[in-house]
Amino acid sequence: MDASLHFHFESVNLCYDSEVNRKSYQQFCGLACALDVLGERWTLLVVRELMFGPRRFVDLLDAMPGIGSNTLTTRLRALEEDGLIVRGTLPPPVTSAVYRLTPAGQALEPVIVELGRWGMSRFSDVDAEATFRPEWLLFGLKLAIGDDTADLPDCACQFLVDGSPILLRVRQGRVEVTQSSAENPDVTLQMDTATIKEIGLGGLSPLEAVGAGRISVAGRLELVGPLLERMGATLARA
């Protein structure tokens, strides 16, 4: 074996962790320890899905095309063993088994949001035909709005992407994004996934989409400008 290649493998020093059936870097480094837990493919995307509330196994499987049931089972088991998620049951009459984040898992949210914001600069590397699901706007709104709501009044903004509801609420400076509907939202914005993808790829700004009729708006129109400007500014920084 080439000496330089041998050195590379020795320096990585991956060790097998039999408890959770994965490898560990075995380094006294915060990043390495985090990657021991979160570095497997699909793991962070499972956390992304659970950031917005409890999910059934079938919901998670449907939300991440390509993962496969065996891989999802393995990732969920590892996250449970690491104390980041817990299994529970929805209250009657549903009584379905669901997964939810623990406080330790919820603490990952700002890290994942910032990683997602950094990843937006790589959108140009994504194939235009890549998968996009309406519920991923949940995460997109987290990236766009963040915790700074100084220019946003208290409001309930209903997004409908190909009919799928996403609700953004601003209350006393706090932002809540959920996959739900409001009976009387202050403003409703309807669009399709093709428009969202074009905005994300930089070919169309949110305000241009409104002007072109790609996003239809109903309700308190004065709320739309600041919200869409924030979304546009986030994409421009990417």
Side-chain angles (χ1 to χ4, degrees), residues 44-45 48-49 51-52 109 111-117 120 134-145 166 177:
L44 281 177
L45 297 186
R48 177 198 67 188
E49 295 301 316
M51 280 171 51
F52 302 99
E109 180 173 323
V111 177
I112 293 175
V113 167
E114 286 305 315
L115 186 59
R117 188 170 285 120
M120 290 174 68
E135 59 267 28
W136 293 345
L137 184 60
L138 288 161
F139 191 64
L141 288 171
K142 275 282 188 183
L143 300 184
I145 305 303
I166 305 295
V177 186

Side-chain angles (χ1 to χ4, degrees), residues 93-176:
V94 182
T95 65
S96 296
V98 293
Y99 295 87
R100 57 169 50 90
L101 293 176
T102 64
Q106 292 169 359
L108 289 169
E109 180 173 323
V111 177
I112 293 175
V113 167
E114 286 305 315
L115 186 59
R117 188 170 285 120
W118 178 86
M120 290 174 68
S121 66
R122 313 289 296 188
F123 274 174
S124 60
D125 296 337
V126 180
D127 192 289
E129 299 304 315
T131 302
F132 177 80
R133 299 178 63 88
E135 59 267 28
W136 293 345
L137 184 60
L138 288 161
F139 191 64
L141 288 171
K142 275 282 188 183
L143 300 184
I145 305 303
D147 295 321
D148 180 10
T149 61
D151 59 341
L152 298 177
D154 286 4
C155 60
C157 295
Q158 183 77 70
F159 291 80
L160 296 173
V161 183
D162 286 341
S164 295
I166 305 295
L167 182 61
L168 168 70
R169 288 190 183 274
V170 181
R171 293 175 176 169
Q172 298 180 339
R174 296 180 61 85
V175 177
E176 179 185 28

Side-chain angles (χ1 to χ4, degrees), residues 181-208:
S181 299
E183 288 189 9
N184 296 295
D186 297 296
V187 62
T188 299
L189 298 94
Q190 297 190 57
M191 65 207 77
D192 58 20
T193 53
T195 298
I196 294 292
K197 289 178 69 173
E198 190 170 345
I199 290 172
L201 291 170
L204 185 70
S205 77
L207 290 174
E208 288 172 342

